Amino acid sequence: MDPLLRAWHELGLVARIVPLVRAIAGTALLLTATLYYCFDSSLARVLVLACTAILIWTVGIIEWLGRHKSYSAKNLATFISTIFVGQTAVIFVTGGIESPFIILYLPPTVALAVGSGTSRPYFLAVSAPLLATAAFLALYLGGHDLMPPLQRFWSAAYPSSYFAAVALIVVLGIAVGSFIGLRIRIALDRALLATAEARQELLDTMTDRNRELNALLGALAHELKNPLSAIQGLSGLVQRKLPAESKEAERMAVLVGEVRRMGSIIEEFLTLSRPLQNLDVRTIRLRELLETVLNLHEAKTAGLHLHCDVDASLALEGDQRKLEQVFVNLLQNAIDATPPGGMIRILAGVQDESIAVTIEDSGSGLAESVRGRLFVAGVTSKTAGSGLGLTIARAIVEQHHGQLSLDDREGGGICARVLLPLQQRSDDAGLVRPELQE
């Protein structure tokens, strides 16, 4: 972003009340024009002030109507230009180089020096008042007295050399003030750069540490997986030898279920800790993929109203195994959130060069405890969840150059939306196409 635009955005509320300030300034100029019309015979001064007031009002109204839109370089150029036009008009009608308002040129240039640095708008904002000051001095030395009769008392006691000195002071004030403002801006930029470098260094250190911890925890999870499989197998053998209706069989069933859940958590953690493997890109019939996912959850959807509206002709490129993992996770979340007798809808359609798949449930919606942290590893609203499923699902979708989002559904529940491109980029290093494996 341009430095001046960034500074403007940082102003926040101050920048948003500028249109109101313009309206007040325009009104003040119009009242001044009325005063000159009553007590000054020069119609030119009245016209200049009136036209300037109308210009400032017009710009203020336009900015007010577009106050919810983001500012651009064009907006800022208009802002700077109207400041200069308003200043110059006031100085012109009140005597030019003899005007007591000639010092109005100083504050904006200093402020812009601090806010924008050495950007092009700043140089334009500085050169314009310098040229205007020189023009006013030239008019005065050429015998063109711009001082209105109402202010004759102001300049009557001062010689020509005084106003030449005033012009010199204004020019030097703009130059020195701008230099000081630029030095302040450079110092701020250096401080921000040093802070950013320190932050990046800390981030790199934390990234390396996280990578080492992930490797260690991945190795630990891998070591736990084998003995856990043995425990699951042995407990299953013991369960089969126990009387079906006995208390011991019931307790052993709980043990087997908990061991199976531990194995599922370890498997998810291993998937998260290892780098995503390259995509095996093939043409996928979306409806067939979703039907496979639905078949896997057929027993769990008993008692729920399930509606799948996906055109059989929809197809996209991707890794079928990984995308199946994504939709298995999202459908499982929808089933867990939907009460008995509730409804789950699966919809799909083409959007530009992508396919949008939505899974809607009629549950209680997003829990406030996890809202905004849905894709953070370990964050879950389920009492028996690992908090890794959505993290892995989003990583897979992003590997396909897609997007995954979860939002509240109108009428209650959650709407999970997956946006996937119809075609994958063949030059992506993360893709492995079947025809390239030979």
Side-chain angles (χ1 to χ4, degrees):
M1 182 183 290
D2 182 86
L4 187 56
L5 279 174
R6 183 169 60 249
W8 183 262
H9 281 285
E10 291 297 329
L11 287 175
L13 179 62
V14 176
R16 289 193 289 272
I17 66 174
V18 167
L20 179 61
V21 175
R22 290 191 194 280
I24 296 173
T27 304
L29 285 177
L30 195 59
L31 291 175
T32 306
T34 304
L35 181 65
Y36 275 106
Y37 179 77
C38 296
F39 298 98
D40 196 315
S41 59
S42 176
L43 184 60
R45 301 182 199 279
V46 177
L47 290 177
V48 168
L49 282 176
C51 292
T52 305
I54 293 173
L55 172 64
I56 292 176
W57 270 348
T58 303
V59 174
I61 292 172
I62 292 174
E63 287 186 344
W64 178 257
L65 293 176
R67 63 189 182 278
H68 300 300
K69 299 179 181 179
S70 60
Y71 277 89
S72 63
K74 184 178 179 180
N75 298 128
L76 293 175
T78 304
F79 171 69
I80 295 170
S81 300
T82 50
I83 286 180
F84 172 71
V85 170
Q87 289 174 329
T88 304
V90 171
I91 295 170
F92 173 79
V93 299
T94 57
I97 200 64
E98 302 174 82
S99 172
F101 301 108
I102 191 73
I103 60 172
L104 288 176
Y105 280 142
L106 297 179
T109 53
V110 176
L112 283 168
V114 177
S116 65
T118 56
S119 65
R120 183 180 299 176
Y122 163 71
F123 287 113
L124 294 176
V126 170
S127 59
L130 289 176
L131 293 175
T133 302
F136 286 139
L137 179 60
L139 287 173
Y140 177 76
L141 296 178
H144 301 281
D145 190 358
L146 301 178
M147 181 64 71
L150 290 174
Q151 298 171 232
R152 290 296 180 191
F153 69 92
W154 167 261
S155 61
Y158 298 103
S160 301
S161 57
Y162 169 80
F163 296 108
V166 169
L168 180 61
I169 291 172
V170 171
V171 171
L172 290 177
I174 292 175
V176 174
S178 300
F179 176 77
I180 294 174
L182 287 175
R183 297 307 302 177
I184 294 174
R185 175 55 187 261
I186 291 172
L188 290 174
D189 285 345
R190 287 177 178 173
L192 290 174
L193 180 61
T195 303
E197 290 176 349
R199 181 177 179 274
Q200 185 61 43
E201 184 178 352
L202 179 61
L203 182 61
D204 293 340
T205 301
M206 294 180 63
T207 301
D208 293 339
R209 180 66 59 85
N210 287 338
R211 190 179 296 111
E212 293 172 359
L213 288 175
N214 278 338
L216 177 62
L217 293 175
L220 180 61
H222 184 74
E223 291 299 322
L224 290 175
K225 184 178 180 181
N226 292 331
L228 193 64
S229 298
I231 294 173
Q232 182 177 347
L234 291 175
S235 59
L237 290 174
V238 174
Q239 182 185 21
R240 284 195 292 270
K241 293 182 179 181
L242 294 174
E245 303 297 330
S246 67
K247 195 69 173 179
E248 289 78 8
E250 181 180 346
R251 291 171 178 171
M252 186 58 67
V254 174
L255 174 63
V256 171
E258 289 301 303
V259 170
R260 186 177 293 113
R261 188 172 69 87
M262 291 175 61
S264 175
I265 293 174
I266 289 178
E267 185 62 34
E268 285 186 339
F269 186 84
L270 286 173
T271 303
L272 180 66
S273 63
R274 70 172 67 99
L276 288 174
Q277 298 175 349
N278 290 345
L279 298 179
D280 183 9
V281 177
R282 302 174 184 274
T283 300
I284 302 172
R285 294 290 179 181
L286 183 60
R287 184 168 178 173
E288 295 178 3
L289 172 65
L290 294 174
E291 286 177 349
T292 301
V293 173
L294 290 172
N295 290 334
L296 292 174
H297 292 82
E298 185 175 2
K300 300 178 182 179
T301 56
L304 301 178
H305 299 285
L306 186 62
H307 176 71
C308 182
D309 184 10
V310 179
D311 196 309
S313 63
L314 288 179
L316 73 159
E317 289 187 350
D319 189 315
Q320 181 159 344
R321 180 180 60 83
K322 290 192 173 187
L323 291 180
E324 183 178 311
Q325 183 180 358
V326 171
F327 292 115
V328 163
N329 182 279
L330 295 179
L331 184 58
Q332 181 63 56
N333 288 345
I335 293 172
D336 293 340
T338 304
M343 181 270 298
I344 296 177
R345 297 179 63 198
I346 302 176
L347 307 173
V350 177
Q351 180 177 320
D352 296 330
E353 297 296 323
S354 302
I355 286 183
V357 183
T358 58
I359 300 178
E360 302 177 350
D361 64 63
S362 56
S364 58
L366 295 174
E368 291 298 330
S369 59
V370 299
R371 187 184 297 272
R373 302 187 300 143
L374 293 170
F375 301 105
V376 177
V379 175
T380 179
S381 59
K382 301 179 182 179
T383 56
S386 64
L388 301 177
L390 285 178
T391 305
I392 296 171
R394 187 177 69 167
I396 293 174
V397 171
E398 290 180 347
Q399 191 183 17
H400 283 78
H401 307 289
Q403 297 176 357
L404 170 60
S405 61
L406 270 73
D407 299 291
D408 289 314
R409 172 179 167 269
E410 185 177 354
I414 298 175
C415 176
R417 188 170 186 269
V418 180
L419 192 65
L420 295 166
L422 292 171
Q423 294 183 337
Q424 296 293 320
R425 297 201 301 264
S426 60
D427 58 342
D428 195 305
L431 304 184
V432 177
R433 294 180 179 273
E435 63 270 22
L436 301 180
Q437 294 178 348
E438 299 178 358

